[in-house]
Amino acid sequence: MKKFGIIGYGRFGTLWSTCLAPYGEVIVYDEKLSATPRKLSSRVAIVSLERVVAVDMLFLAVPVSLFAECCHRIAPLLS
């Protein structure tokens, strides 16, 4: 089973999670929601930043103004 990660769970991140859920497990990181890891549905869960980057495919669904900052923040966590 594929594991998809999404950073950012606004409208675009929510759309991605809905589209990807039929194809595998979806885990999501969002600063506003990730204080309490939990399941949003049977295939979508809120997790920590360290866990969301350890996936088969990662989607960055953050505002364009935060894209570079997000990349710099996750770069040390990627293999």
Side-chain angles (χ1 to χ4, degrees):
M1 177 189 291
K2 292 275 187 197
K3 187 179 269 190
F4 302 103
I6 301 170
I7 297 178
Y9 200 60
R11 289 180 290 196
F12 192 52
T14 303
L15 172 67
W16 268 117
S17 71
T18 302
C19 294
L20 295 170
Y23 302 100
E25 181 184 359
V26 179
I27 56 176
V28 175
Y29 172 80
D30 189 295
E31 282 188 352
K32 296 175 185 172
L33 302 174
S34 292
T36 308
R38 64 190 181 279
K39 285 269 195 193
L40 295 175
S41 71
S42 63
R43 289 247 173 157
V44 180
I46 299 286
V47 299
S48 68
L49 182 62
E50 292 77 18
R51 188 159 166 228
V52 80
V53 298
V55 293
D56 298 311
M57 190 173 294
L58 182 63
F59 294 85
L60 302 182
V62 297
V64 172
S65 61
L66 299 176
F67 195 82
E69 178 185 329
C70 179
C71 290
H72 287 285
R73 188 169 174 195
I74 66 172
L77 304 173
L78 298 171
S79 57

